[in-house]
């Protein structure tokens, strides 16, 4: 079974995000970038499937600027076999990404595609669902457990009411949740080996996909700063403030 994993280059989760002075987006210049944490979980799960003899090859795919190859190299250092980089400098929105991934899937013919449930930069949570719709494949989203079984797999989904178990016929789309696994750290020997693993470069034009944005970002603003609290001298004063200022009690 060939497994394809989508990985995205995002601002590192430890970095405090700052809005650009012109409010057109967030600042990414001279900012530490890394693989989207949910995608990292997807890479780990694909590697575990290969180690268990359930997968024959793991392919890491990233879409974006030239530096996205660094993210692919991280996946290769973790244990992926080869990479595919779709090079584009333009703004990418979920539908365009889904269309590009669809073209890559049709080219590679994997049995399983794993994506993070969302990217921590835009939090859209749309690409996996859109890709499944475009391909007409079954999907399991917010997955915390995967159990392949021949031409199908059983997945456990994290839903609002608890856990839901569904069976998917392969080929299928899966999006990962936090509790699926704990990603490994890439060892130094594997980091060195990753430098020699192949990365194929493609373009949206070569894949026949129009990635022109359909939405326009009008303005990006920081959330309003939280007001400082106040101390009260008695319970009676607290109740009075809750009634007259906060208006949370009658």
């Amino acid at each position: 079974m060939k497994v394809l994993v989508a990985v995205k280059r995002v601002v590192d989760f430890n970095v405090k995000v700052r809005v650009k002075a012109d409010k057109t987006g967030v600042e990414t210049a001279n900012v530490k970038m890394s693989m989207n944490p949910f995608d990292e979980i997807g890479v780990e799960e694909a590697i575990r499937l290969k180690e268990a003899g359930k997968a024959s090859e793991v392919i890491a795919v990233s879409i974006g600027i030239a530096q996205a190859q660094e993210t692919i190299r991280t996946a290769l250092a973790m244990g992926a076999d080869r990479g595919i980089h779709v090079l584009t400098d333009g703004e990418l929105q979920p539908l365009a990404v889904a269309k590009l991934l669809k073209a890559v899937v049709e080219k590679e013919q994997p049995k399983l595609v794993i994506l993070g449930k969302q990217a921590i930069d835009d939090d859209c949570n749309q690409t996996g669902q859109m890709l499944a719709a475009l391909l007409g494949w079954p999907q399991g989203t917010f997955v915390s457990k995967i159990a392949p079984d021949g031409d199908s797999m059983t997945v456990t989904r994290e839903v609002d009411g608890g856990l839901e178990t569904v069976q998917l016929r392969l080929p299928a789309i899966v999006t990962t949740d936090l509790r699926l696994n704990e990603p490994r750290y890439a060892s130094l020997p594997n980091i060195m080996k990753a430098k020699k693993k192949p990365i194929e470069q493609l373009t949206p034009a070569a894949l026949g996909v129009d990635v022109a944005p359909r939405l326009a970002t009008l303005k990006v603003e920081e959330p309003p700063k939280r007001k400082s609290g106040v101390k009260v001298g008695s319970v009676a004063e607290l109740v009075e403030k809750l009634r007259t200022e906060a208006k949370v009690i009658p």
Side-chain angles (χ1 to χ4, degrees), residues 196-218:
K196 297 181 180 180
K197 291 182 179 180
I199 296 180
E200 180 183 3
Q201 192 169 87
L202 303 170
T203 63
L207 294 172
V209 178
D210 178 14
V211 296
R214 295 174 175 236
L215 302 173
T217 301
L218 301 180

Side-chain angles (χ1 to χ4, degrees), residues 2-51:
K2 185 187 291 187
V3 181
L4 188 145
V5 187
V7 294
K8 184 177 184 182
R9 181 176 183 263
V10 299
V11 175
D12 189 86
F13 70 94
N14 288 309
V15 173
K16 180 176 174 55
V17 176
R18 293 178 291 110
V19 175
K20 290 181 179 179
D22 59 5
K23 297 187 177 182
T24 57
V26 298
E27 189 61 67
T28 57
N30 301 315
V31 172
K32 182 183 178 183
M33 308 293 282
S34 61
M35 186 189 301
N36 179 48
F38 292 103
D39 298 342
E40 198 172 9
I41 292 170
V43 173
E44 175 65 28
E45 192 63 24
I47 295 167
R48 291 188 185 190
L49 289 173
K50 185 180 178 184
E51 291 172 343

Side-chain angles (χ1 to χ4, degrees), residues 1 147-154 167-172:
M1 177 174 72
D149 184 17
D151 292 332
S152 65
M153 67 168 39
T154 302
Q167 189 175 48
L168 309 175
R169 284 198 313 272
L170 298 176

